[in-house]
Amino acid sequence: MGLERTLILFKPDAVMRQLCGKLLTRLEDRGLKVVGLKMLQITPEMSKQHYSEHVSKPFYPQLEAFITCGPTIAVAVEGLEAITVVRTMMGSTNARDAAPGTIRGDFGQSRQVNLMHGSDGPEAAAKELKLYFKDEEFVKYELVTAGYLMADDEK
Ligand code: IDP
Ligand code: MG
């Protein structure tokens, strides 16, 4: 339990399909606090760093081509157990297997072109937050709803 930060990407398909507003609304509706947000173009070098665990896999060249094919929006969010919460909201990697109600399950049908990335654990979150944001780019503020989003003993 406790407050965590995690790194989300709205992948090029989400940007080009003009779904980013809807995806951001889902995160906000859940009470996740946005602490960083930027639009960027992922380069092949960044892709290799981000997806270092997948670089040697047969599907990597296609994945790199996809993730660099258009703009991406990087979002850093904070919340209670935010890493798991976001992964659960995102749904299974293959959108055809993703449960209805999840982002991939509601908006997609592809294993590769699957709208969104979310860090899969604390180590990945630390690495990926650093890849997309400088320390000084994280904003500090309190949500006016903070007192209604969590109990004191959950923080
Ligand atoms: P995740 O995004 O759900 O964590 P990973 O297994 O870490 O899934 O894979 C990273 C990304 O690589 C996926 O989101 C998807 O875009 C792509 N990918 C994963 N497996 C395949 C595959 O078998 N073929 C093509 N692309 C894949
Ligand atoms: Mg992954």
Side-chain angles (χ1 to χ4, degrees):
M1 211 152 56
L3 275 178
E4 287 177 346
R5 271 187 191 181
T6 189
L7 187 276
I8 292 164
L9 298 179
F10 298 153
K11 296 183 182 184
D13 55 322
V15 176
M16 295 201 259
R17 291 176 60 199
Q18 298 181 289
L19 291 171
C20 295
K22 286 191 174 116
L23 303 192
L24 191 61
T25 294
R26 290 210 177 198
L27 302 172
E28 289 187 322
D29 284 350
R30 192 74 193 266
L32 291 161
K33 177 179 167 186
V34 175
V35 295
L37 191 149
K38 64 169 73 166
M39 193 173 212
L40 72 152
Q41 173 69 48
I42 295 184
T43 62
E45 294 68 34
M46 289 171 76
S47 172
K48 286 181 188 77
Q49 282 181 277
H50 179 104
Y51 286 123
S52 54
E53 63 179 302
H54 297 311
V55 167
S56 57
K57 296 189 180 158
F59 66 78
Y60 179 77
Q62 278 190 315
L63 172 59
E64 183 181 293
F66 161 54
I67 206 72
T68 60
C69 78
T72 290
I73 292 180
V75 191
V77 299
E78 193 176 276
L80 288 177
E81 296 179 62
I83 297 168
T84 306
V85 165
V86 168
R87 291 285 297 184
T88 305
M89 291 176 76
M90 191 166 75
S92 301
T93 303
N94 183 340
R96 294 190 290 284
D97 299 331
T102 64
I103 285 163
R104 287 167 171 171
D106 285 353
F107 293 109
Q109 53 180 317
S110 167
R111 181 175 58 182
Q112 179 181 82
V113 183
N114 58 8
L115 297 138
M116 183 171 147
H117 167 84
S119 308
D120 67 6
E123 256 180 55
K127 172 193 141 181
E128 293 168 5
L129 286 163
K130 227 178 164 148
L131 201 56
Y132 294 93
F133 293 97
K134 298 185 185 116
D135 273 349
E136 60 271 25
E137 289 176 326
F138 295 115
V139 290
K140 290 189 180 65
Y141 66 103
E142 286 299 319
L143 290 176
V144 291
T145 51
Y148 302 96
L149 286 167
M150 59 193 79
D152 286 342
D153 68 350
E154 289 178 309
K155 287 177 195 166

